[in-house]
Amino acid sequence: MTIKFIITSIFLGATFIQLCYWCFLFSKFALHQEKEKENGPKDEIPISIIICAKNESENLKKNLPLILNQNYRSLEVIVVNDSSTDDSERVLLDFKQKNNYLRIINFNNTNKSHIGKKFALAEGIKAARYETLLLTDADCHPTSRNWVYNMQKSMRDNIEIVLGYGPYEKAPGFLNIFVHYETVYTAIQYFTFALIGQTYMGVGRNLLYKRSLFFQSEGFTKHEHVASGDDDLFINEVARDNNVRVNLDETTFMYSAPKKTWKSFYHQKARHMTTGGMYQKKHQLLLGLLSASHFLHYWGGIVLILKFSTMFAGVIYMVRILVLLFWYTFILKKLKAVSLLKWIPILDAFHVVYYLVFLPKLFIGKKNTWT
């Protein structure tokens, strides 16, 4: 058994696994059709929107009006002001004078072991008057005034969790292009897994769930020592195969400002990476197999071409990338990111570098703040 044979086998095996993911799993998300809106509840469900803010006065000025002016009557908006040292409290009090359904909770976190925003978020959840919670962040803004109305439309039958989409605003530069791609690729994974009854995460900037789930699972106590995880680890714990629905109505998209430097992007993703090792084992296996096969497809192909001049590896690469482009055509249209399509071959290859950079974070977690 030669080295060339071993590398060829690894390359073909990895490519086969990749094609299985795209053709048999991610295709379900690509072809998924939203159910008719009229199938949802005819009456408005009372909603408690919860936002945690730490030194977010400028974002509050810009984004809070878009949340307070939703086309929805049965609503309260709770902003938890988490130990802010800027003028966030004054900004909130100004909004409070004009909006009596805005509630302000000043949370003073003096315990140094209380890292991240989980403790502030828990205070907001405990104070909520309504059973249905809609979570977002201070640096986010909805794409329409019907964000709340159309998110709650998905709360029918026995659904207790609704996963919304949280894209980023467009900006010049390759970093912004990669941020958009990484957000789309992550969404492909967690939406697909939700559609097949294997929900493993949601994004806290656009997430709706029942308040009772929080108390049934004893809140965030199982992972309160980790800064991140108020969204993905919590959902990983409470999601079942029949209590989750995805909402891909473009009027429910919740946009936020992207990181502007590679350093800040790295720190953001590194913080998120610390939670992956705490997912359920089956989810770790599925996600790990996806990432490993992606990496080995490129590693094997490059070695075969450069060391052994095996041109058929290039043909196999083209087959895979054409399959990706086919499914991305549907997905990017669904997620309103069609401009990414021409970048997919480059971004898909660049993602291998992303794996190498962040791989240590899967094994060496570090406590971080949520700012």
Side-chain angles (χ1 to χ4, degrees):
M1 185 179 294
T2 66
I3 292 186
K4 180 180 178 180
F5 176 80
I6 294 173
I7 295 175
T8 301
S9 299
I10 292 173
F11 170 67
L12 292 176
T15 305
F16 176 75
I17 292 171
Q18 279 284 296
L19 292 175
C20 286
Y21 270 92
W22 281 95
C23 293
F24 300 109
L25 285 179
F26 298 158
S27 61
K28 295 181 183 297
F29 172 59
L31 300 176
H32 174 71
Q33 297 293 324
E34 286 288 283
K35 294 186 178 181
E36 294 296 324
K37 293 180 182 178
E38 53 265 25
N39 290 339
K42 295 181 180 179
D43 298 324
E44 291 184 355
I45 300 173
I47 300 283
S48 293
I49 297 176
I50 302 178
I51 303 168
C52 293
K54 186 179 181 68
N55 296 327
E56 296 274 13
S57 61
E58 293 304 313
N59 281 325
L60 289 169
K61 291 176 187 176
K62 181 175 66 173
N63 298 321
L64 193 53
L66 301 173
I67 293 173
L68 293 171
N69 293 322
Q70 288 287 298
N71 292 325
Y72 209 80
R73 297 184 304 276
S74 306
L75 183 71
E76 69 170 353
V77 179
I78 299 173
V79 179
V80 184
N81 183 23
D82 184 7
S83 309
S84 294
T85 55
D86 63 1
D87 62 344
S88 291
E89 185 174 5
R90 181 188 60 79
V91 170
L92 290 169
L93 288 173
D94 288 344
F95 278 116
K96 175 67 175 175
Q97 291 180 356
K98 301 175 183 177
N99 302 274
N100 57 12
Y101 50 91
L102 171 63
R103 298 174 59 199
I104 305 167
I105 298 176
N106 288 308
F107 178 68
N108 187 18
N109 187 1
T110 58
N111 190 332
K112 293 183 178 180
S113 66
H114 290 179
I115 57 175
K117 71 174 183 180
K118 291 176 183 173
F119 294 91
L121 179 56
E123 290 299 311
I125 292 174
K126 292 172 185 176
R129 295 187 179 119
Y130 303 131
E131 166 67 359
T132 303
L133 311 176
L134 181 54
L135 276 55
T136 190
D137 293 329
D139 63 347
C140 299
H141 63 86
T143 106
S144 80
R145 295 181 64 190
N146 294 317
W147 166 57
V148 177
Y149 182 76
N150 286 330
M151 278 293 285
Q152 62 94 38
K153 280 282 190 178
S154 297
M155 292 294 283
R156 55 185 182 270
D157 304 326
N158 297 316
I159 298 303
E160 297 177 293
I161 302 167
V162 178
L163 308 181
Y165 183 48
Y168 287 96
E169 299 167 351
K170 288 187 177 181
F174 182 71
L175 171 59
N176 187 260
I177 292 171
F178 185 75
V179 167
H180 274 81
Y181 160 77
E182 196 275 335
T183 303
V184 166
Y185 188 54
T186 301
I188 290 171
Q189 295 170 63
Y190 71 78
F191 281 138
T192 296
F193 281 38
L195 290 172
I196 64 172
Q198 293 296 326
T199 304
Y200 71 92
M201 69 166 280
V203 291
R205 57 188 180 271
N206 200 5
L207 180 62
L208 185 150
Y209 57 79
K210 295 290 188 181
R211 185 170 178 263
S212 54
L213 283 177
F214 179 80
F215 295 106
Q216 289 169 11
S217 64
E218 299 181 348
F220 305 127
T221 54
K222 295 186 179 72
H223 43 84
E224 64 182 16
H225 60 289
V226 182
S228 297
D230 53 276
D231 45 14
D232 58 348
L233 290 181
F234 178 75
I235 295 301
N236 195 261
E237 180 183 352
V238 300
R240 303 291 178 263
D241 60 0
N242 61 352
N243 73 338
V244 180
R245 180 164 282 125
V246 303
N247 190 319
L248 298 173
D249 187 327
E250 64 180 291
T251 65
T252 68
F253 289 3
M254 179 62 77
Y255 283 84
S256 58
K259 298 299 182 183
K260 296 180 180 179
T261 66
W262 286 101
K263 183 179 180 179
S264 59
F265 174 70
Y266 172 81
H267 287 304
Q268 179 190 48
K269 300 310 297 183
R271 185 174 67 250
H272 295 165
M273 286 286 181
T274 60
T275 63
M278 301 178 68
Y279 290 170
Q280 294 180 44
K281 295 301 181 184
K282 60 182 178 180
H283 299 142
Q284 292 187 49
L285 177 63
L286 288 168
L287 294 169
L289 186 61
L290 174 65
S291 299
S293 61
H294 191 175
F295 175 81
L296 291 174
H297 164 79
Y298 275 96
W299 174 82
I302 290 171
V303 172
L304 288 173
I305 291 173
L306 296 182
K307 185 173 178 61
F308 298 103
S309 300
T310 309
M311 289 300 105
F312 95 94
V315 175
I316 300 299
Y317 163 80
M318 288 302 301
V319 170
R320 175 185 171 275
I321 207 67
L322 287 173
V323 170
L324 263 66
L325 288 171
F326 175 77
W327 291 117
Y328 265 116
T329 301
F330 294 94
I331 291 168
L332 294 178
K333 183 177 180 181
K334 191 185 298 290
L335 298 181
K336 307 305 173 187
V338 176
S339 61
L340 277 180
L341 188 62
K342 63 180 178 290
W343 288 94
I344 291 301
I346 296 172
L347 295 168
D348 182 72
F350 187 75
H351 208 133
V352 175
V353 178
Y354 176 90
Y355 292 139
L356 293 175
V357 170
F358 287 104
L359 182 63
K361 285 296 178 181
L362 295 177
F363 304 99
I364 305 174
K366 182 180 178 182
K367 292 182 180 181
N368 296 284
T369 61
W370 68 284
T371 55

